[in-house]
Amino acid sequence: MEINRKSPTIFEVAQLAGVSRGTVDRVVYGRGRVSQETVNRVRDAIAKLGYSPNPNASSLASKKEYRFACLIPEFTAGDYWEEIYRGLARGQEEIVKYNIRLDVHLYNQIDPASFRECCDKVLEDKPSGVIMNAVFKDEVTDFAVRLEEARIPYSFLDNKLDELNYLMYYGVDPYKSGALGAFLLTTRCEVEEIALVRLVRDSLHKADPNAQRRHGFLDYIEENLPGCTVHTIFIEPDKPQKTREILESFFRERPGVKHIAMTNSRVWLIDEYLRNHPDPQRIVVGFDDLEKNLACLKSGDVEFLVTRHIPQQASRLLKEFTECVITGKVPSRRNNFVHMDILHRRNLDDYR
Amino acid sequence: MEINRKSPTIFEVAQLAGVSRGTVDRVVYGRGRVSQETVNRVRDAIAKLGYSPNPNASSLASKKEYRFACLIPEFTAGDYWEEIYRGLARGQEEIVKYNIRLDVHLYNQIDPASFRECCDKVLEDKPSGVIMNAVFKDEVTDFAVRLEEARIPYSFLDNKLDELNYLMYYGVDPYKSGALGAFLLTTRCEVEEIALVRLVRDSLHKADPNAQRRHGFLDYIEENLPGCTVHTIFIEPDKPQKTREILESFFRERPGVKHIAMTNSRVWLIDEYLRNHPDPQRIVVGFDDLEKNLACLKSGDVEFLVTRHIPQQASRLLKEFTECVITGKVPSRRNNFVHMDILHRRNLDDYR
DNA sequence: CTGAAAGCGCTAACAA
DNA sequence: TTGTTAGCGCTTTCAG
């Protein structure tokens, strides 16, 4: 058996269609200035030969440079968005052949004005495409409209606004991931009480990025464990001392609560408490494979992490987006929900 | 911020070193016939400029064709090895640019003679590299020695023989995967009895491909559930009628056994029984993401599947192997254990 | 041991 | 509307 496809060249197509290579090129990329009749002949020849352009030769010859603007939130080391950034950088390596430049614009996740500023800058730049996530609903909608006017294609990464005309989306189904987390937390247990730890976010922050995931989580509990009470605890990300106090007082009052979940990406925030108050019966479930979260898994303080390969999600979007923008074709699938990984201490070793 | 590396050309290196492009090429790929002094000058220039060859141009210009021989067991639709085959085919697409041809040789998994035949054929062919799995210990060892004599690099996929000089290996750690399966089967339960369903294999079949995985499974049980009894049941893959009878009689006698595992890749073989004898308390764990196994997961008859992305494992090996063979460099890591996925009905949707 | 030059498949500018 | 042609960065003869 032999696996060995190699495609015919543009020259063969030209010969079969009785035209020159330049004409075939025009047809393939729809550069216009070709008579309908010739187009048809060339199309036939392409179909007959099963021709597809050699991307190596193509990018070698092409001097065109593409610029993609990526708008993502600012991040610090170990952050969720750092992983996305890594994915973009890695994805870029795979498409250098297409002469792509990535301009990453970082905005302040809790300040819509900073997002608007980025948008203005991007629009001035006139990039070949835009990749972003959808934090501020109004601002993103507005930006999308302006992009469409400027005929610049854009795609959503990680989350999206369904009603917009984005080219494609890559991310998980947050609702389902929440439900999966709830399942892992409660399966095979008689659970009567659950502690759901949430983050106090700055009031400027309009969007609640984890709302859907949390709803998935809560709906699962309601449907499958009707008698179960969910206690919500709020902690402040920047105040470890206060966090400790809040957790200590909560669990002092309710020592029977053995099931803890955090539907945001920072379960590591409660790791200090968990380490200092060991309890073999306790089960903790978190989300997203940040380095710090993985450490909690490894130590055994967190039992399961629901995640997906964050950088991969970004690099796959970038790759597909590039092909669509360059060849002008529509994506094979518009909404790409990536697989959710279940991570446990026992299958952690070779992740990544 | 900008992600945008573009490298200097071979011409710039040549200029800086005061030689021709051909000479730089000779140095880069160690094709010999260059004086030591020139080599040094070129090396310096390369280092100074941070040059790395443009793979597009490289493969465009190169007319050399590589042939890789892949030795894997024969398969039928839905088989484990069909997935591996798919992975190879997909991997090939990613490296067409290198002008690679894949010759897939299928041997009979229970007949060493057929494997030997393949080996002879492959050696005659003189391929640029060999990819195989290690079913028959003696035959594989013998083959490896002959490959080394012929200076043909080879790599193991899926399983390996540690003592051989293979270039690289991609697969899971079977022992760990067995332990993970045992964990998923028994966590949060008081388990006293487990049914381990095994396959009667043809006696010609020398190797027991799942031995390590089974040991991982059994060791976990022994360590973590000291009082637990593991009942081994043998079924015959080709005899569904008999399988049914065996299972029915076993579970009639021991209705208290609620935990079932199969450490081979064919948990679907018992699906008919499971469907016809529903039991909400029962927990079944299997391995490998064959299409038929996924169906059992979806229906809920199987609770967890421990697996890894089979085609991906193959395509990644192929990609890395190619680069090593072509550029002559050693792999960055010799033993590549791929991540084990935990699959459940709730995270099945977007797998693949 | 080294350089010169043709050409890989394609793009883009120019000519017709 | 179409054909021609000069490269893109690299490999690979072929001379020297």
Side-chain angles (χ1 to χ4, degrees):
Chain A
M1 210 152 24
E2 209 174 275
I3 303 178
N4 173 29
R5 1 175 315 84
K6 60 175 167 180
S7 46
T9 75
I10 198 172
F11 184 71
E12 297 172 57
V13 176
Q15 279 200 314
L16 185 60
V19 297
S20 75
R21 298 178 297 166
T23 302
V24 176
D25 184 66
R26 282 175 205 119
V27 172
V28 170
Y29 291 93
R31 303 191 212 278
R33 299 184 307 157
V34 184
S35 75
Q36 189 53 49
E37 197 214 344
T38 321
V39 169
N40 294 338
R41 274 218 315 287
V42 172
R43 288 244 170 88
D44 287 349
I46 288 174
K48 192 168 294 171
L49 261 40
Y51 167 81
S52 76
N54 179 330
N56 291 324
S58 173
S59 67
L60 233 204
S62 171
K63 34 201 51 158
K64 184 183 283 176
E65 198 190 72
Y66 293 89
R67 278 171 302 113
F68 290 162
C70 307
L71 284 82
I72 58 173
E74 292 168 352
F75 53 81
T76 53
D79 231 11
Y80 177 81
W81 291 101
E82 188 191 27
E83 296 289 314
I84 292 281
Y85 180 80
R86 264 192 220 157
L88 291 173
R90 192 194 308 155
Q92 203 270 351
E93 283 168 31
E94 285 184 51
I95 51 172
V96 273
K97 54 182 177 193
Y98 292 117
N99 245 316
I100 309 272
R101 209 184 75 194
L102 248 45
D103 292 317
V104 181
H105 300 258
L106 303 176
Y107 58 86
N108 185 333
Q109 198 171 170
I110 58 171
D111 178 13
S114 83
F115 180 76
R116 275 193 299 262
E117 257 176 59
C118 277
C119 295
D120 292 339
K121 228 182 295 170
V122 169
L123 281 162
E124 250 176 62
D125 250 29
K126 295 200 177 307
S128 333
V130 170
I131 293 171
M132 62 177 160
N133 71 320
V135 195
F136 310 107
K137 188 167 174 184
D138 295 344
E139 283 75 8
V140 169
T141 306
D142 185 60
F143 185 41
V145 171
R146 292 163 73 194
L147 285 172
E148 281 167 39
E149 276 167 12
R151 324 203 95 249
I152 297 173
Y154 60 94
S155 287
F156 283 122
L157 180 58
D158 192 73
N159 57 358
K160 61 179 158 73
L161 293 177
D162 291 309
E163 63 276 22
L164 297 178
N165 282 318
Y166 55 91
L167 184 63
M168 68 183 83
Y169 163 77
Y170 270 80
V172 293
D173 185 329
Y175 187 87
K176 270 194 208 164
S177 78
L180 177 59
F183 161 78
L184 291 171
L185 181 67
T186 60
T187 182
R188 303 182 197 170
C189 301
E190 311 267 321
V191 184
E192 275 158 18
E193 291 182 285
I194 292 172
L196 179 64
V197 183
R198 295 183 55 184
L199 305 180
V200 177
R201 304 239 183 196
D202 197 300
S203 59
L204 267 172
H205 195 295
K206 294 180 178 175
D208 177 353
N210 297 307
Q212 283 180 280
R213 190 190 275 169
R214 194 172 58 247
H215 292 151
F217 182 90
L218 294 171
D219 286 354
Y220 177 95
I221 300 295
E222 204 177 308
E223 280 165 35
N224 295 277
L225 302 160
C228 182
T229 313
V230 178
H231 303 280
T232 303
I233 310 172
F234 279 93
I235 62 172
E236 296 183 40
D238 305 326
K239 299 183 180 156
Q241 170 65 30
K242 204 169 164 191
T243 295
R244 189 183 318 135
E245 286 165 15
I246 291 172
L247 293 172
E248 277 174 0
S249 92
F250 175 87
F251 287 105
R252 203 179 307 118
E253 273 176 46
R254 303 173 190 277
V257 180
K258 300 296 187 190
H259 295 76
I260 308 175
M262 279 178 87
T263 50
N264 52 68
S265 69
R266 294 194 241 173
V267 71
W268 61 268
L269 284 171
I270 64 167
D271 191 44
E272 196 207 319
Y273 172 83
L274 298 175
R275 264 205 322 273
N276 293 332
H277 300 74
D279 180 348
Q281 289 174 59
R282 185 171 50 207
I283 299 174
V284 181
V285 167
F287 290 80
D288 299 328
D289 61 328
L290 307 190
E291 215 51 78
K292 285 178 186 166
N293 290 348
L294 294 178
C296 306
L297 251 199
K298 193 164 248 164
S299 68
D301 294 317
V302 171
E303 176 83 355
F304 283 113
L305 225 43
V306 173
T307 184
R308 71 293 208 184
H309 211 293
I310 306 177
Q312 200 180 73
Q313 162 185 324
S315 62
R316 280 173 57 187
L317 166 63
L318 184 55
K319 211 169 153 186
E320 174 94 359
F321 187 61
T322 302
E323 296 206 343
C324 288
V325 170
I326 290 181
T327 67
K329 66 183 168 198
V330 289
S332 49
R333 202 188 282 180
R334 189 159 172 253
N335 286 322
N336 297 274
F337 294 108
V338 306
H339 170 74
M340 297 182 288
D341 286 319
I342 299 173
L343 246 44
H344 182 270
R345 182 165 35 90
R346 294 190 164 270
N347 73 332
L348 184 58
D349 282 359
D350 310 296
Y351 197 61
R352 276 153 211 290
Chain B
M1 210 155 21
E2 210 174 275
I3 305 178
N4 172 29
R5 4 174 309 88
K6 62 174 169 180
S7 47
T9 76
I10 198 173
F11 183 71
E12 297 172 56
V13 175
Q15 280 200 313
L16 184 62
V19 297
S20 75
R21 297 176 300 166
T23 302
V24 176
D25 184 68
R26 282 174 206 120
V27 172
V28 171
Y29 291 93
R31 303 191 211 277
R33 300 183 308 158
V34 184
S35 74
Q36 189 54 49
E37 198 213 341
T38 321
V39 169
N40 294 339
R41 273 219 315 287
V42 172
R43 289 243 170 88
D44 287 349
I46 288 174
K48 191 168 294 169
L49 261 40
Y51 167 80
S52 77
N54 179 330
N56 291 322
S58 173
S59 66
L60 232 204
S62 172
K63 39 198 48 156
K64 185 184 282 176
E65 197 191 73
Y66 295 89
R67 277 171 303 112
F68 291 161
C70 307
L71 285 82
I72 59 173
E74 293 166 350
F75 53 81
T76 53
D79 230 10
Y80 178 80
W81 291 102
E82 188 191 27
E83 296 289 313
I84 292 281
Y85 179 81
R86 264 192 221 156
L88 292 172
R90 192 195 310 155
Q92 202 269 353
E93 284 169 30
E94 285 185 51
I95 52 174
V96 274
K97 54 181 179 196
Y98 291 119
N99 243 318
I100 310 271
R101 209 185 74 194
L102 248 46
D103 292 317
V104 181
H105 300 260
L106 302 176
Y107 59 86
N108 185 332
Q109 197 170 171
I110 59 172
D111 178 12
S114 83
F115 180 76
R116 276 193 300 261
E117 256 176 59
C118 278
C119 295
D120 292 339
K121 229 182 295 170
V122 168
L123 282 162
E124 250 176 61
D125 251 28
K126 295 200 177 309
S128 333
V130 169
I131 292 171
M132 63 178 159
N133 72 318
V135 195
F136 309 107
K137 188 168 175 184
D138 296 345
E139 283 75 7
V140 169
T141 306
D142 186 60
F143 184 41
V145 171
R146 291 163 72 194
L147 284 172
E148 281 166 39
E149 278 168 10
R151 323 204 94 249
I152 297 173
Y154 60 95
S155 287
F156 283 122
L157 181 57
D158 191 73
N159 58 356
K160 61 181 158 71
L161 293 176
D162 291 309
E163 64 275 23
L164 297 178
N165 282 320
Y166 55 92
L167 183 62
M168 68 184 82
Y169 163 76
Y170 270 79
V172 294
D173 185 328
Y175 186 87
K176 268 194 210 165
S177 77
L180 176 59
F183 161 77
L184 291 171
L185 182 66
T186 61
T187 182
R188 306 183 196 170
C189 302
E190 310 268 319
V191 184
E192 276 160 19
E193 291 182 286
I194 291 172
L196 180 64
V197 183
R198 295 184 55 183
L199 306 180
V200 177
R201 304 240 184 194
D202 196 302
S203 59
L204 267 172
H205 194 298
K206 294 181 179 176
D208 177 352
N210 298 306
Q212 283 178 281
R213 189 190 276 169
R214 196 172 57 247
H215 291 151
F217 182 91
L218 294 171
D219 287 355
Y220 177 95
I221 300 296
E222 204 177 307
E223 279 165 35
N224 296 276
L225 302 159
C228 181
T229 313
V230 177
H231 304 279
T232 303
I233 310 173
F234 279 94
I235 62 172
E236 296 184 40
D238 306 326
K239 300 183 181 157
Q241 171 65 29
K242 204 167 164 191
T243 295
R244 189 182 319 137
E245 287 165 16
I246 291 172
L247 293 172
E248 278 173 0
S249 91
F250 176 86
F251 287 105
R252 203 179 307 119
E253 272 177 48
R254 305 173 189 276
V257 180
K258 301 294 189 190
H259 294 76
I260 309 176
M262 280 178 85
T263 51
N264 51 68
S265 69
R266 292 194 242 174
V267 72
W268 61 269
L269 284 171
I270 64 167
D271 190 44
E272 196 206 320
Y273 171 83
L274 298 175
R275 265 207 320 274
N276 293 331
H277 301 74
D279 180 347
Q281 288 174 58
R282 185 170 53 206
I283 298 174
V284 182
V285 167
F287 290 81
D288 299 329
D289 61 328
L290 307 190
E291 215 50 78
K292 286 178 185 167
N293 290 348
L294 294 179
C296 306
L297 250 200
K298 194 164 249 166
S299 68
D301 294 318
V302 170
E303 177 82 356
F304 282 114
L305 226 42
V306 173
T307 184
R308 70 293 210 183
H309 210 293
I310 306 176
Q312 198 180 74
Q313 163 184 323
S315 63
R316 279 173 57 185
L317 166 63
L318 184 55
K319 212 169 153 187
E320 173 94 1
F321 188 62
T322 302
E323 295 206 344
C324 289
V325 169
I326 289 181
T327 67
K329 67 182 167 200
V330 289
S332 50
R333 201 187 283 181
R334 189 160 171 253
N335 286 322
N336 297 274
F337 294 107
V338 305
H339 170 73
M340 298 183 287
D341 286 318
I342 299 173
L343 245 44
H344 182 271
R345 182 165 36 89
R346 293 190 164 270
N347 73 332
L348 184 58
D349 282 359
D350 311 295
Y351 196 61
R352 284 157 205 285

